[in-house]
Amino acid sequence: NAGVTQTPKFQVLKTGQSMTLQCAQDMNHNSMYWYRQDPGMGLRLIYYSASEGTTDKGEVPNGYNVSRLNKREFSLRLESAAPSQTSVYFCASSKDTGSYEQYFGPGTRLTVT
Amino acid sequence: GDSVTQMEGPVTLSEEAFLTINCTYTATGYPSLFWYVQYPGEGLQLLLKATKADDKGSNKGFEATYRKETTSFHLEKGSVQVSDSAVYFCALKAGGSYIPTFGRGTSLIVHP
């Protein structure tokens, strides 16, 4: 039981490049989330998926797209990376949106030069 | 809107010292309150929670009491260890909300 896994762990991009961050959970959770963590800013929600087939914007969605590929997988895409997107990205899941606890992956550290 | 305010860090303590990390909140209704911990290089994990006023959450020697009258949920531990060095996040989840609101995090450094 791996919980929430994320790939890659580290990535360096040049401005304008694109990439997709992958996330998968094996806990049969319905809801999944993407956050970014910046120094002094705590966690900010980018997008979430309440259930398979649905996605919704969070606090900071601009410059990102998401895909809920199936119940297990939720990917985050940067179409044209910008230095302001340098951050640590966390994927999380929960049984459903009413659940108290979220389970987090280990994070992806992204640098955009 | 909902918000969580935590004390600025880092908090630096010697091993076996008493720990308090302050957390206050603003929310409509009666939210559930949480403390998450993030160890170096890892994702967040739930440390403890309280779902109604006067509840005390506890885990691994940490405690926090839901104080509605002061809108607070301060984290305490009687004797910290080096292994407690981490970033601690206070969070709330308001009734009917899909998404928790996180504080900015407080870094704790414990020296031997």
Coordinates of all heavy atoms in Angstrom, one line a residue, chain A residues 33 35 41-45 59 97 99-100 102 104, chain B residues 1-6 23-28 31-36 44 73 88-95 97-105:
Chain A
Y33 N -6.5 16.3 -5.0 CA -6.2 17.7 -4.9 C -4.8 18.0 -5.3 O -3.9 17.1 -5.1 CB -6.3 18.2 -3.4 CG -7.5 17.7 -2.7 CD1 -7.6 16.4 -2.1 CD2 -8.6 18.6 -2.5 CE1 -8.7 16.0 -1.5 CE2 -9.8 18.1 -1.8 CZ -9.8 16.9 -1.3 OH -10.9 16.4 -0.6
Y35 N -1.9 21.0 -4.7 CA -1.5 22.2 -3.9 C -0.1 22.7 -4.4 O 0.7 21.8 -4.8 CB -1.4 21.9 -2.4 CG -2.6 21.6 -1.7 CD1 -3.1 20.3 -1.6 CD2 -3.4 22.7 -1.1 CE1 -4.3 20.0 -0.9 CE2 -4.6 22.4 -0.4 CZ -5.0 21.1 -0.3 OH -6.1 20.8 0.4
M41 N 4.1 31.1 2.5 CA 2.7 31.1 2.0 C 1.8 30.0 2.4 O 0.7 29.9 2.1 CB 2.7 31.2 0.4 CG 3.4 32.4 -0.1 SD 2.5 33.9 0.2 CE 1.1 33.7 -0.8
G42 N 2.4 29.0 3.0 CA 1.7 27.8 3.3 C 1.3 27.0 2.1 O 2.0 27.1 1.0
L43 N 0.2 26.4 2.2 CA -0.4 25.6 1.0 C -1.5 26.3 0.3 O -2.4 26.8 1.0 CB -0.9 24.2 1.5 CG 0.0 23.2 2.0 CD1 -0.7 22.0 2.6 CD2 0.9 22.7 0.9
R44 N -1.4 26.4 -1.0 CA -2.5 27.0 -1.7 C -3.0 26.0 -2.7 O -2.3 25.3 -3.5 CB -2.0 28.2 -2.5 CG -1.6 29.4 -1.5 CD -1.2 30.6 -2.2 NE 0.0 30.5 -2.9 CZ 0.5 31.4 -3.8 NH1 -0.1 32.5 -4.1 NH2 1.7 31.2 -4.4
L45 N -4.3 25.9 -2.8 CA -5.0 24.9 -3.6 C -5.0 25.4 -5.1 O -5.5 26.5 -5.4 CB -6.4 24.6 -3.1 CG -7.2 23.6 -3.9 CD1 -6.6 22.2 -3.6 CD2 -8.7 23.6 -3.4
E59 N -7.7 28.0 -5.4 CA -7.4 29.4 -5.2 C -6.5 30.0 -6.2 O -6.6 31.2 -6.6 CB -6.6 29.5 -3.8 CG -6.2 30.8 -3.3 CD -5.4 30.8 -2.0 OE1 -5.3 29.7 -1.4 OE2 -4.9 31.9 -1.6
T97 N -15.0 14.5 -0.3 CA -14.7 15.9 0.1 C -15.2 16.2 1.5 O -14.9 17.3 2.0 CB -15.4 16.9 -0.9 OG1 -16.8 16.5 -1.0 CG2 -14.7 16.8 -2.3
S99 N -14.5 14.3 4.0 CA -13.6 13.7 5.0 C -12.8 14.7 5.7 O -12.5 15.7 5.2 CB -12.7 12.7 4.2 OG -13.4 11.7 3.5
Y100 N -12.4 14.4 6.9 CA -11.6 15.3 7.7 C -10.1 15.2 7.2 O -9.4 16.2 7.2 CB -11.6 14.9 9.2 CG -12.9 15.1 9.9 CD1 -13.5 14.1 10.6 CD2 -13.6 16.3 9.8 CE1 -14.8 14.3 11.2 CE2 -14.8 16.5 10.4 CZ -15.4 15.5 11.1 OH -16.6 15.7 11.7
Q102 N -6.8 14.5 4.8 CA -6.2 14.4 3.5 C -4.9 13.7 3.6 O -4.2 13.8 4.6 CB -6.0 15.8 2.9 CG -7.3 16.5 2.5 CD -7.0 17.7 1.7 OE1 -5.9 18.3 1.6 NE2 -8.1 18.2 1.0
F104 N -1.2 13.1 1.8 CA -0.4 13.8 0.9 C 0.7 12.9 0.3 O 1.3 12.0 1.0 CB 0.3 15.0 1.6 CG -0.6 16.1 1.9 CD1 -1.5 16.1 2.9 CD2 -0.6 17.2 1.0 CE1 -2.4 17.2 3.1 CE2 -1.5 18.3 1.3 CZ -2.4 18.3 2.3
Chain B
G1 N -13.9 35.5 4.4 CA -13.7 34.1 4.2 C -13.0 33.5 5.4 O -12.6 34.2 6.4
D2 N -12.8 32.2 5.3 CA -12.1 31.4 6.4 C -10.6 31.7 6.4 O -10.0 31.9 5.3 CB -12.3 29.9 6.2 CG -13.8 29.6 6.3 OD1 -14.6 30.3 6.9 OD2 -14.2 28.5 5.7
S3 N -10.0 31.8 7.5 CA -8.6 32.0 7.6 C -8.0 31.4 8.8 O -8.7 31.2 9.8 CB -8.2 33.5 7.5 OG -8.7 34.2 8.7
V4 N -6.7 31.1 8.8 CA -6.0 30.5 9.9 C -4.7 31.3 10.1 O -4.0 31.6 9.1 CB -5.6 29.0 9.7 CG1 -4.7 28.5 10.8 CG2 -6.9 28.2 9.5
T5 N -4.4 31.7 11.3 CA -3.2 32.5 11.6 C -2.3 31.7 12.6 O -2.8 31.4 13.6 CB -3.6 33.9 12.2 OG1 -4.4 34.6 11.3 CG2 -2.3 34.7 12.4
Q6 N -1.1 31.5 12.2 CA -0.2 30.8 13.0 C 1.0 31.8 13.4 O 1.3 32.7 12.7 CB 0.5 29.6 12.3 CG -0.4 28.5 12.0 CD 0.4 27.4 11.3 OE1 -0.1 27.0 10.2 NE2 1.4 26.9 11.9
C23 N -2.2 29.1 17.3 CA -3.1 29.1 16.1 C -4.4 29.7 16.5 O -5.1 29.3 17.4 CB -3.3 27.7 15.6 SG -4.5 27.5 14.3
T24 N -4.8 30.7 15.7 CA -6.2 31.2 15.8 C -6.9 31.2 14.5 O -6.2 31.1 13.4 CB -6.2 32.7 16.3 OG1 -5.4 33.5 15.4 CG2 -5.6 32.8 17.7
Y25 N -8.2 31.2 14.5 CA -8.9 31.1 13.2 C -10.1 32.0 13.1 O -10.6 32.5 14.1 CB -9.4 29.6 13.1 CG -10.4 29.2 14.1 CD1 -11.8 29.4 13.8 CD2 -10.1 28.7 15.3 CE1 -12.7 29.0 14.7 CE2 -11.0 28.3 16.2 CZ -12.3 28.5 15.9 OH -13.3 28.1 16.8
T26 N -10.5 32.2 11.9 CA -11.7 32.9 11.6 C -12.5 32.0 10.6 O -12.0 31.6 9.6 CB -11.5 34.3 10.9 OG1 -10.6 35.0 11.7 CG2 -12.7 35.0 10.6
A27 N -13.8 31.8 11.0 CA -14.6 30.9 10.2 C -16.1 31.1 10.5 O -16.4 31.5 11.6 CB -14.3 29.4 10.4
T28 N -16.9 30.9 9.5 CA -18.3 30.9 9.7 C -18.7 29.6 10.3 O -18.2 28.5 9.9 CB -19.1 31.2 8.4 OG1 -18.6 30.3 7.4 CG2 -18.8 32.6 7.9
P31 N -16.2 25.2 12.6 CA -15.3 24.3 11.8 C -14.7 23.2 12.5 O -14.7 23.2 13.8 CB -14.2 25.3 11.3 CG -14.1 26.3 12.4 CD -15.6 26.4 12.9
S32 N -14.2 22.2 11.8 CA -13.3 21.2 12.4 C -11.9 21.8 12.3 O -11.5 22.5 11.4 CB -13.4 19.9 11.7 OG -14.7 19.4 11.8
L33 N -11.0 21.4 13.3 CA -9.7 22.0 13.4 C -8.7 20.9 13.4 O -8.9 19.8 13.9 CB -9.5 22.8 14.6 CG -10.5 24.0 14.8 CD1 -10.4 24.7 16.1 CD2 -10.3 25.0 13.7
F34 N -7.5 21.2 12.8 CA -6.5 20.1 12.5 C -5.1 20.7 12.8 O -4.9 21.9 12.6 CB -6.5 19.6 11.1 CG -7.9 19.2 10.6 CD1 -8.7 20.2 10.1 CD2 -8.3 17.9 10.7 CE1 -10.0 19.8 9.6 CE2 -9.6 17.6 10.3 CZ -10.4 18.5 9.7
W35 N -4.2 19.8 13.1 CA -2.8 20.1 13.0 C -2.2 19.0 12.1 O -2.4 17.8 12.3 CB -2.1 20.1 14.4 CG -2.2 21.4 15.1 CD1 -3.0 21.6 16.1 CD2 -1.4 22.6 14.9 NE1 -2.9 22.9 16.6 CE2 -1.9 23.5 15.8 CE3 -0.4 22.9 14.0 CZ2 -1.4 24.8 15.9 CZ3 0.1 24.2 14.1 CH2 -0.3 25.1 15.0
Y36 N -1.4 19.5 11.1 CA -0.7 18.6 10.2 C 0.8 18.9 10.5 O 1.2 20.0 10.8 CB -0.9 18.9 8.7 CG -2.2 18.3 8.2 CD1 -3.4 18.9 8.4 CD2 -2.1 17.1 7.4 CE1 -4.6 18.3 7.8 CE2 -3.3 16.6 6.8 CZ -4.5 17.2 7.1 OH -5.6 16.6 6.5
L44 N 2.7 16.4 3.9 CA 2.0 16.6 5.2 C 1.3 15.4 5.6 O 0.9 14.6 4.8 CB 1.0 17.7 5.1 CG 1.5 19.2 5.1 CD1 2.2 19.5 3.8 CD2 0.3 20.1 5.2
F73 N -6.6 27.1 18.7 CA -6.3 25.7 18.7 C -4.8 25.5 18.8 O -4.1 25.1 17.9 CB -6.9 25.1 17.4 CG -6.9 23.6 17.3 CD1 -7.6 22.9 18.3 CD2 -6.3 22.9 16.3 CE1 -7.7 21.5 18.3 CE2 -6.4 21.5 16.2 CZ -7.0 20.8 17.2
Y88 N 4.9 22.6 11.2 CA 3.6 22.3 11.7 C 2.5 23.3 11.1 O 2.7 24.5 11.1 CB 3.6 22.4 13.2 CG 4.4 21.3 13.8 CD1 5.8 21.4 13.9 CD2 3.8 20.1 14.2 CE1 6.6 20.4 14.4 CE2 4.6 19.1 14.8 CZ 6.0 19.3 14.9 OH 6.7 18.2 15.4
F89 N 1.5 22.7 10.5 CA 0.4 23.5 9.9 C -0.9 23.3 10.7 O -1.4 22.2 10.9 CB 0.2 23.0 8.5 CG 1.3 23.3 7.5 CD1 2.4 22.4 7.4 CD2 1.3 24.5 6.8 CE1 3.4 22.7 6.5 CE2 2.3 24.8 5.9 CZ 3.4 23.9 5.7
C90 N -1.5 24.5 11.0 CA -2.8 24.5 11.6 C -3.8 24.6 10.4 O -3.5 25.3 9.4 CB -3.0 25.7 12.5 SG -4.5 25.7 13.4
A91 N -4.9 24.0 10.5 CA -5.9 24.0 9.4 C -7.3 23.9 9.9 O -7.5 23.4 11.0 CB -5.6 22.9 8.4
L92 N -8.3 24.4 9.1 CA -9.7 24.2 9.5 C -10.5 23.8 8.3 O -10.1 24.0 7.1 CB -10.2 25.5 10.1 CG -10.4 26.7 9.1 CD1 -11.7 26.7 8.3 CD2 -10.4 28.0 10.0
K93 N -11.6 23.2 8.6 CA -12.5 22.8 7.5 C -13.9 23.2 8.0 O -14.4 22.6 9.0 CB -12.4 21.3 7.3 CG -13.0 20.8 6.0 CD -12.5 19.4 5.6 CE -13.0 19.0 4.2 NZ -14.3 18.5 4.2
A94 N -14.4 24.2 7.3 CA -15.8 24.7 7.7 C -16.8 23.7 7.2 O -16.7 23.0 6.2 CB -16.0 26.1 7.1
G95 N -17.9 23.7 7.9 CA -19.0 22.8 7.6 C -19.5 23.1 6.2 O -19.7 24.3 5.8
S97 N -17.8 22.9 3.5 CA -16.7 23.3 2.6 C -16.0 22.0 2.1 O -15.8 21.1 2.9 CB -15.7 24.2 3.3 OG -14.6 24.3 2.5
Y98 N -15.7 22.0 0.9 CA -14.9 20.8 0.3 C -13.5 20.8 0.7 O -12.8 19.8 0.8 CB -15.0 20.8 -1.2 CG -16.3 20.4 -1.8 CD1 -16.5 20.4 -3.1 CD2 -17.4 19.9 -1.0 CE1 -17.7 20.0 -3.7 CE2 -18.6 19.5 -1.5 CZ -18.7 19.6 -2.9 OH -19.9 19.2 -3.4
I99 N -13.0 22.0 1.0 CA -11.5 22.2 1.0 C -11.1 22.8 2.4 O -11.7 23.7 2.9 CB -11.1 23.3 -0.1 CG1 -11.7 22.8 -1.4 CG2 -9.6 23.4 -0.2 CD1 -11.3 21.5 -1.9
P100 N -10.0 22.2 2.9 CA -9.5 22.8 4.2 C -8.7 24.1 3.9 O -8.2 24.3 2.8 CB -8.5 21.7 4.7 CG -8.2 20.9 3.5 CD -9.3 21.0 2.5
T101 N -8.7 24.9 4.9 CA -7.9 26.2 4.8 C -6.7 26.0 5.7 O -6.8 25.6 6.9 CB -8.7 27.4 5.3 OG1 -9.8 27.5 4.5 CG2 -7.9 28.6 5.3
F102 N -5.5 26.1 5.2 CA -4.2 25.9 5.9 C -3.6 27.2 6.3 O -3.7 28.2 5.6 CB -3.2 25.2 5.0 CG -3.5 23.7 4.8 CD1 -4.3 23.4 3.7 CD2 -3.0 22.8 5.7 CE1 -4.6 22.0 3.5 CE2 -3.3 21.4 5.4 CZ -4.1 21.1 4.4
G103 N -3.0 27.2 7.5 CA -2.1 28.3 7.9 C -0.8 28.3 7.1 O -0.6 27.4 6.3
R104 N 0.1 29.3 7.4 CA 1.3 29.3 6.7 C 2.4 28.4 7.2 O 3.4 28.3 6.5 CB 1.8 30.8 6.7 CG 0.9 31.7 6.0 CD 1.5 33.1 5.9 NE 0.7 34.0 5.1 CZ 1.1 35.2 4.7 NH1 2.2 35.7 5.0 NH2 0.2 35.9 3.9
G105 N 2.2 27.7 8.3 CA 3.1 26.8 8.8 C 4.1 27.4 9.7 O 4.5 28.6 9.6

